Amino acid sequence: MFTESEILETIDMLDNRHLDVRTVTLSLSLLDCIDGNADKCAKKVYEKITRVCARLVPVCDGLAKRYGVKIVNKRIAVTPISMIGAASGGYIKLAHALDRAGKELGVDFVGGYSALVQKRATSQENAFLRTIPQALSETDIVCSSVNVASSKTGINLDAVGMMGRIVKELAYATRDDNSFGCGKLVVFCNAVDDNPFMAGAFTGLAEGECSVNVGVSGPGVVEYEIKKHPDYDITQICELIKRTAFKITRLGALIGAEAAKELDLAPGIVDLSLAPTPAVGDSVARILESIGLSQVGSLGTTACLALLNDAVKKGGVMAASRVGGLSGAFIPVSEDAGMIKAVRDGALNIEKLEAMTAVCSVGLDMIAVPGDTTEAQISAMIADECAIGMINNKTTAVRVIPVYGKKVGDEVDFGGLFGTAPIMPVNGGDPAKFVNRGGVIPAPIHANKN
């Protein structure tokens, strides 16, 4: 039960502190759609999505109206298409089927044009990877993810090298749209099966037939609460963030449970991640500054982010029966007003962001770099992030956008939640010899736990 004061406090969060449900994501298995005929497989996928997910948007809109809660995105995540299309090879047809189905239902994104190649890739998976630039440039709402490493298997450097080429090809294929196709592609280490956030959402093989996963966001709420207590010491700040994360997560758990009930589907997880937006007052960077930093990127940033990430998880986990996804604090550059300003001011660079990703979710996210950044540099960036994830047994990722025709000092506007990205400089060294060696970087010794 909710007390009157708690209800009023939540209303204030919703009205004035940018609290929202960032996404309700319907997770759907497509294993029963596998067919050796490409056209039949695509038809099965389209028909299943439009049948099972038909009420997702109306139900979410109804819940938003009933509870006065903004549900920003409605999304669908499916079984990795590299598996669904392996029997037929009709990957591009499946991409278009996903796009058509999602648009017909009115969802914002469909995730799962994905592959899991963290150990080795089959010939079919390599063929799938080569279709990613075409698939994402020819569709509007389809998102792709590729898991190239894990703490158990090591880093598949062959796949890492291929992903550098794919990112470059995709940037060129979508050059008339500021290379934004790359904003729909993320490369993972330790990808999770139940992530509700794009571009990395897919339905893992350990998941059931269909479930409802929720991602909540409330950076503005956390910042506001910290600013109310300027005299708190760090221990008290941690406790304050934990209590606030509990309140934020409880809202997500409520919406997730109600959505699952109305859709007659299994309730899934609540992702605890604080996901920012470009709007003023909705920034993870501003939370860190409210703790005491002069500006995000300055000395102390990694420590403050570690504090925030841990406190959010400790508080949020008590408010939901099942927590999953990525769960932490996102630091996407283009989607966070404070991050954008820090880059413009020269306080934040890729190397500092890499250090920060060691203690938060998820990685180098929505970073725009010069269009002439080489494929080897992009691959090495991916390898560095994978190393952090592999050694620390956490999820890390890279979503980098080499914007065709842009150079350091330029800016690019992706619009909406994707925000504005200053073009960030990339270390000028040439990692091609390292990347081109190929092979597998072995898993760390602590992975041998059997």
Side-chain angles (χ1 to χ4, degrees):
M1 295 294 293
F2 296 92
T3 67
E4 181 179 342
S5 63
E6 288 175 323
I7 293 171
L8 292 174
E9 183 181 36
T10 303
I11 291 172
D12 180 62
M13 292 178 182
L14 294 167
D15 289 345
N16 302 312
R17 312 298 167 204
H18 299 281
L19 175 60
D20 58 51
V21 172
R22 185 55 48 86
T23 179
V24 173
T25 301
L26 196 152
S27 175
L28 178 65
S29 172
L30 297 180
L31 291 174
D32 57 343
C33 298
I34 294 173
D35 196 295
N37 181 288
D39 291 320
K40 290 181 179 179
C41 184
K43 182 179 180 181
K44 289 180 180 179
V45 166
Y46 173 82
E47 290 178 346
K48 183 169 186 180
I49 292 174
T50 52
R51 181 181 75 255
V52 178
C53 307
R55 295 178 56 239
L56 175 62
V57 172
V59 165
C60 288
D61 289 344
L63 291 172
K65 184 177 181 180
R66 184 190 313 165
Y67 291 103
V69 176
K70 184 178 181 181
I71 301 176
V72 180
N73 274 261
K74 300 89 176 175
R75 300 164 173 170
I76 298 168
V78 301
T79 311
I81 293 299
S82 64
M83 301 176 186
I84 304 305
S88 67
Y91 302 114
I92 296 297
K93 291 182 179 181
L94 288 171
H96 285 285
L98 296 177
D99 202 51
R100 288 197 310 273
K103 287 176 177 176
E104 179 174 323
L105 298 178
V107 300
D108 297 279
F109 292 104
V110 180
Y113 199 79
S114 306
L116 308 177
V117 293
Q118 57 267 29
K119 193 169 186 179
R120 289 289 189 187
T122 65
S123 58
Q124 292 94 337
E125 286 167 332
N126 281 326
F128 167 82
L129 294 177
R130 289 191 287 269
T131 69
I132 290 175
Q134 180 183 353
L136 295 192
S137 62
E138 291 182 357
T139 58
D140 296 314
I141 63 173
V142 173
C143 292
S144 178
S145 58
V146 181
N147 195 64
V148 298
S150 77
S151 296
K152 192 69 176 176
T153 63
I155 302 172
N156 182 350
L157 200 58
D158 292 321
V160 169
M162 182 179 286
M163 291 312 300
R165 295 191 292 275
I166 287 169
V167 169
K168 286 288 288 184
E169 290 174 14
L170 181 54
Y172 182 79
T174 56
R175 62 193 180 279
D176 294 333
D177 190 26
N178 291 320
S179 299
F180 185 68
C182 299
K184 300 188 295 174
L185 170 63
V186 59
V187 186
F188 275 117
C189 172
N190 291 323
V192 296
D193 289 349
D194 54 6
N195 170 22
F197 286 100
M198 298 296 173
F202 64 88
T203 297
L205 296 182
E207 298 296 295
E209 175 68 18
C210 193
S211 60
V212 179
N213 298 323
V214 176
V216 187
S217 184
V221 179
V222 178
E223 179 191 0
Y224 174 74
E225 291 298 322
I226 294 173
K227 284 184 173 179
K228 281 168 52 178
H229 302 281
D231 298 327
Y232 272 17
D233 66 21
I234 285 297
T235 305
Q236 291 171 308
I237 290 293
C238 291
E239 292 301 312
L240 178 63
I241 294 172
K242 284 164 58 178
R243 292 196 300 271
T244 306
F246 176 87
K247 296 170 185 176
I248 292 170
T249 306
R250 187 166 54 174
L251 173 67
L254 170 66
I255 294 299
E258 290 296 305
K261 180 179 178 181
E262 293 203 18
L263 291 167
D264 195 24
L265 297 174
I269 57 91
V270 178
D271 190 311
L272 307 179
S273 302
L274 292 179
T277 73
V280 175
D282 199 24
S283 163
V284 169
R286 298 302 187 212
I287 297 175
L288 304 181
E289 291 166 2
S290 70
I291 294 173
L293 299 177
S294 59
Q295 188 171 29
V296 69
S298 63
L299 295 175
T301 296
T302 305
C304 287
L305 185 56
L307 174 162
L308 172 65
N309 203 56
D310 183 63
V312 166
K313 290 183 179 182
K314 287 175 177 174
V317 75
M318 298 298 294
S321 59
R322 181 172 293 178
V323 168
L326 301 170
S327 289
F330 289 163
I331 51 171
V333 172
S334 76
E335 300 174 11
D336 187 307
M339 296 288 178
I340 294 169
K341 185 178 187 305
V343 173
R344 286 172 176 163
D345 293 346
L348 192 61
N349 57 31
I350 290 177
E351 286 72 24
K352 183 60 178 178
L353 283 165
E354 186 177 295
M356 294 164 65
T357 62
V359 298
C360 78
S361 309
V362 166
L364 298 176
D365 194 16
M366 287 303 290
I367 293 174
V369 297
D372 62 0
T373 304
T374 69
E375 61 184 49
Q377 287 174 312
I378 293 170
S379 293
M381 200 180 302
I382 293 169
D384 282 344
E385 272 302 300
C386 287
I388 291 174
M390 177 183 71
I391 295 297
N392 291 289
N393 198 30
K394 70 183 293 292
T395 303
T396 53
V398 172
R399 185 163 50 149
V400 62
I401 306 171
V403 185
Y404 187 81
K406 298 293 184 180
K407 60 184 184 302
V408 175
D410 294 337
E411 292 196 2
V412 59
D413 186 0
F414 296 126
L417 288 175
F418 297 107
T420 300
I423 304 298
M424 300 182 69
V426 176
N427 188 297
D430 183 7
K433 184 175 180 179
F434 159 63
V435 171
N436 292 335
R437 285 184 181 274
V440 175
I441 298 176
I445 187 65
H446 57 70
N448 297 305
K449 296 181 179 179
N450 289 337

Short mmCIF file of all heavy atoms in Angstrom, two decimals, residues 241-242 245 272 307-318 323 326-329 359-361 394:
data_model
loop_
_atom_site.label_atom_id
_atom_site.label_comp_id
_atom_site.label_asym_id
_atom_site.label_seq_id
_atom_site.Cartn_x
_atom_site.Cartn_y
_atom_site.Cartn_z
N ILE A 241 20.57 8.09 -1.97
CA ILE A 241 20.40 7.55 -3.32
C ILE A 241 19.69 6.20 -3.28
O ILE A 241 18.81 5.92 -4.10
CB ILE A 241 21.76 7.44 -4.03
CG1 ILE A 241 22.37 8.82 -4.26
CG2 ILE A 241 21.61 6.71 -5.38
CD1 ILE A 241 23.80 8.79 -4.76
N LYS A 242 20.04 5.38 -2.31
CA LYS A 242 19.38 4.08 -2.18
C LYS A 242 17.88 4.24 -1.96
O LYS A 242 17.08 3.56 -2.61
CB LYS A 242 20.00 3.29 -1.01
CG LYS A 242 21.37 2.70 -1.31
CD LYS A 242 22.11 2.29 -0.05
CE LYS A 242 21.35 1.29 0.78
NZ LYS A 242 22.13 0.86 1.97
N ALA A 245 16.30 5.49 -5.22
CA ALA A 245 16.25 4.44 -6.23
C ALA A 245 15.12 3.45 -5.93
O ALA A 245 14.46 2.95 -6.85
CB ALA A 245 17.58 3.70 -6.29
N LEU A 272 17.21 -1.40 -13.52
CA LEU A 272 17.39 -0.28 -12.59
C LEU A 272 18.16 0.90 -13.17
O LEU A 272 18.40 1.87 -12.47
CB LEU A 272 18.15 -0.78 -11.35
CG LEU A 272 17.59 -1.99 -10.62
CD1 LEU A 272 18.48 -2.34 -9.43
CD2 LEU A 272 16.15 -1.75 -10.19
N LEU A 307 30.03 5.12 -6.75
CA LEU A 307 29.12 5.32 -5.62
C LEU A 307 27.67 5.30 -6.09
O LEU A 307 26.81 4.61 -5.53
CB LEU A 307 29.47 6.64 -4.96
CG LEU A 307 28.64 7.25 -3.83
CD1 LEU A 307 29.47 8.30 -3.10
CD2 LEU A 307 27.33 7.89 -4.30
N LEU A 308 27.39 6.08 -7.15
CA LEU A 308 26.03 6.18 -7.67
C LEU A 308 25.53 4.83 -8.16
O LEU A 308 24.41 4.40 -7.83
CB LEU A 308 26.00 7.20 -8.80
CG LEU A 308 24.69 7.31 -9.59
CD1 LEU A 308 23.57 7.82 -8.69
CD2 LEU A 308 24.87 8.23 -10.80
N ASN A 309 26.34 4.16 -8.94
CA ASN A 309 25.93 2.89 -9.53
C ASN A 309 25.60 1.85 -8.46
O ASN A 309 24.58 1.15 -8.52
CB ASN A 309 27.05 2.37 -10.43
CG ASN A 309 26.56 1.42 -11.49
OD1 ASN A 309 25.68 1.75 -12.27
ND2 ASN A 309 27.14 0.23 -11.52
N ASP A 310 26.44 1.76 -7.46
CA ASP A 310 26.23 0.79 -6.39
C ASP A 310 24.99 1.12 -5.57
O ASP A 310 24.20 0.23 -5.23
CB ASP A 310 27.47 0.75 -5.49
CG ASP A 310 27.35 -0.29 -4.39
OD1 ASP A 310 27.26 -1.49 -4.72
OD2 ASP A 310 27.33 0.09 -3.21
N ALA A 311 24.82 2.39 -5.24
CA ALA A 311 23.67 2.78 -4.42
C ALA A 311 22.36 2.56 -5.16
O ALA A 311 21.35 2.14 -4.57
CB ALA A 311 23.81 4.25 -4.00
N VAL A 312 22.35 2.83 -6.48
CA VAL A 312 21.14 2.61 -7.27
C VAL A 312 20.75 1.13 -7.25
O VAL A 312 19.57 0.78 -7.09
CB VAL A 312 21.36 3.10 -8.72
CG1 VAL A 312 20.26 2.56 -9.64
CG2 VAL A 312 21.36 4.62 -8.77
N LYS A 313 21.73 0.26 -7.40
CA LYS A 313 21.44 -1.17 -7.39
C LYS A 313 20.95 -1.64 -6.02
O LYS A 313 19.99 -2.41 -5.93
CB LYS A 313 22.69 -1.96 -7.80
CG LYS A 313 23.07 -1.79 -9.26
CD LYS A 313 24.27 -2.65 -9.62
CE LYS A 313 24.64 -2.50 -11.08
NZ LYS A 313 25.77 -3.34 -11.48
N LYS A 314 21.59 -1.18 -4.97
CA LYS A 314 21.20 -1.61 -3.62
C LYS A 314 19.80 -1.14 -3.27
O LYS A 314 19.04 -1.88 -2.63
CB LYS A 314 22.21 -1.07 -2.60
CG LYS A 314 23.55 -1.78 -2.62
CD LYS A 314 24.55 -1.13 -1.67
CE LYS A 314 25.87 -1.89 -1.63
NZ LYS A 314 26.89 -1.17 -0.81
N GLY A 315 19.45 0.06 -3.66
CA GLY A 315 18.12 0.56 -3.36
C GLY A 315 17.06 -0.05 -4.26
O GLY A 315 15.98 -0.44 -3.80
N GLY A 316 17.36 -0.15 -5.55
CA GLY A 316 16.37 -0.62 -6.50
C GLY A 316 16.02 -2.08 -6.35
O GLY A 316 14.86 -2.47 -6.57
N VAL A 317 16.98 -2.90 -5.96
CA VAL A 317 16.74 -4.34 -5.91
C VAL A 317 15.68 -4.70 -4.88
O VAL A 317 15.02 -5.75 -4.98
CB VAL A 317 18.07 -5.08 -5.64
CG1 VAL A 317 18.50 -4.94 -4.18
CG2 VAL A 317 17.97 -6.55 -6.05
N MET A 318 15.47 -3.85 -3.89
CA MET A 318 14.47 -4.12 -2.86
C MET A 318 13.06 -3.78 -3.29
O MET A 318 12.10 -4.12 -2.62
CB MET A 318 14.81 -3.33 -1.59
CG MET A 318 16.14 -3.70 -0.96
SD MET A 318 16.19 -5.43 -0.42
CE MET A 318 14.96 -5.40 0.88
N VAL A 323 14.95 -8.25 -10.64
CA VAL A 323 15.76 -7.19 -11.25
C VAL A 323 16.68 -7.83 -12.28
O VAL A 323 17.19 -8.92 -12.08
CB VAL A 323 16.58 -6.45 -10.17
CG1 VAL A 323 17.63 -5.55 -10.81
CG2 VAL A 323 15.65 -5.63 -9.29
N LEU A 326 20.51 -4.36 -17.50
CA LEU A 326 21.85 -3.80 -17.31
C LEU A 326 22.01 -3.21 -15.91
O LEU A 326 23.05 -3.36 -15.28
CB LEU A 326 22.11 -2.73 -18.37
CG LEU A 326 22.01 -3.29 -19.81
CD1 LEU A 326 22.02 -2.16 -20.82
CD2 LEU A 326 23.11 -4.28 -20.10
N SER A 327 21.00 -2.51 -15.42
CA SER A 327 20.90 -2.06 -14.03
C SER A 327 22.13 -1.31 -13.54
O SER A 327 23.08 -1.89 -13.03
CB SER A 327 20.61 -3.26 -13.11
OG SER A 327 19.28 -3.71 -13.30
N GLY A 328 22.08 -0.01 -13.66
CA GLY A 328 23.15 0.84 -13.17
C GLY A 328 22.91 2.28 -13.54
O GLY A 328 21.85 2.82 -13.32
N ALA A 329 23.90 2.91 -14.13
CA ALA A 329 23.79 4.29 -14.58
C ALA A 329 24.37 4.39 -15.98
O ALA A 329 25.52 4.00 -16.21
CB ALA A 329 24.52 5.24 -13.64
N VAL A 359 33.02 1.06 -13.90
CA VAL A 359 32.23 1.05 -12.66
C VAL A 359 30.74 1.32 -12.91
O VAL A 359 29.99 1.55 -11.96
CB VAL A 359 32.77 2.09 -11.65
CG1 VAL A 359 34.20 1.76 -11.27
CG2 VAL A 359 32.69 3.52 -12.20
N CYS A 360 30.30 1.32 -14.16
CA CYS A 360 28.88 1.63 -14.40
C CYS A 360 28.35 0.81 -15.56
O CYS A 360 29.07 0.01 -16.16
CB CYS A 360 28.71 3.12 -14.68
SG CYS A 360 29.16 3.59 -16.36
N SER A 361 27.10 0.99 -15.88
CA SER A 361 26.52 0.45 -17.10
C SER A 361 26.66 1.53 -18.18
O SER A 361 26.41 2.70 -17.91
CB SER A 361 25.04 0.17 -16.90
OG SER A 361 24.81 -0.60 -15.74
N LYS A 394 31.51 -7.98 -15.99
CA LYS A 394 30.37 -7.08 -16.12
C LYS A 394 30.08 -6.84 -17.59
O LYS A 394 30.90 -7.14 -18.46
CB LYS A 394 30.64 -5.74 -15.41
CG LYS A 394 31.69 -4.88 -16.11
CD LYS A 394 31.98 -3.60 -15.32
CE LYS A 394 30.82 -2.65 -15.26
NZ LYS A 394 30.49 -2.04 -16.57
#
